[in-house]
Every structure is written in C-alpha cells, then in structure tokens.
Amino acid sequence: MNTKSTAVEEARSDIRERAQATVGDLGALAQEVAGGSELRDLLARAAKQTAALDACIKETQQSLAASQATVVRLAERVDSANEQWRALAKTVDVVKVACADI
C-alpha cells in the first residue's frame, strides 16, 4: 500500500471515529432533551400542586377568620351573660332585704 492510500484509510478511520462520537453525543443530547421533557412535566405538576395548596391555604385562612369572628361573638355573649348574672345576684339581694323587711 502506498502512503497516499494509507493516509486516505487513516482519514476515513478518523472520520468514522468522529462520526461515531458525534452520533454518541447526539444520542446523549436526545436523552437530555427527553429528560428535559420529563422535567417540564414534573415542574408543571408541581405548579398545579402549588396552586391547589395555595387555594387550600386561602380556604383555611377564610375558615380561621370566620372562626375568630365566632369566638369574638361568643366572648361578647359570655360577657353579657356574666353581667346578667351579676345583675340577678343584686336583684336577689334586694329581694332578700325586701322580704326581711316584710
């Protein structure tokens, strides 16, 4: 074989190796792109779950606000009932004094 033929064969061999390396790189890139699609899907699901969690938090906050308002109204009623009991106790004391006078 002459040097020209040997150089051509070496060049072909080098081209084959580079082509195979390029194909391998393209395959790896394709897997990354496919993985990127999975990542996008995962992020989309996470975004939906985050939105659902946000809605749940808002609903809980509204329920808590309503519960707090109920507690305030209940405390006002308890205070009112306590005032009525104190007034009733004074009335009973007045009635006892009045009965003693009779």
Side-chain angles (χ1 to χ4, degrees):
M1 231 185 201
N2 63 26
T3 30
K4 192 174 185 182
S5 296
T6 306
V8 170
E9 286 302 318
E10 287 177 5
R12 285 182 182 165
S13 177
D14 188 46
I15 290 170
R16 270 192 223 104
E17 288 175 13
R18 288 184 187 207
Q20 288 174 346
T22 302
V23 169
D25 289 344
L26 288 174
L29 181 61
Q31 287 178 344
E32 286 181 34
V33 169
S37 173
E38 291 173 10
L39 181 59
R40 281 192 300 275
D41 292 346
L42 178 63
L43 290 174
R45 285 194 308 270
K48 287 179 185 177
Q49 289 174 344
T50 301
L53 183 58
D54 286 343
C56 185
I57 289 171
K58 286 179 184 178
E59 183 180 323
T60 301
Q61 288 172 333
Q62 291 171 348
S63 295
L64 181 58
S67 295
Q68 289 171 334
T70 301
V71 168
V72 168
R73 285 193 307 274
L74 182 59
E76 290 170 351
R77 287 183 178 177
V78 167
D79 288 343
S80 176
N82 286 336
E83 288 177 25
Q84 290 174 1
W85 278 108
R86 284 190 290 275
L88 182 60
K90 289 179 185 177
T91 303
V92 167
D93 289 342
V94 169
V95 169
K96 284 182 185 177
V97 169
C99 287
D101 289 341
I102 295 179

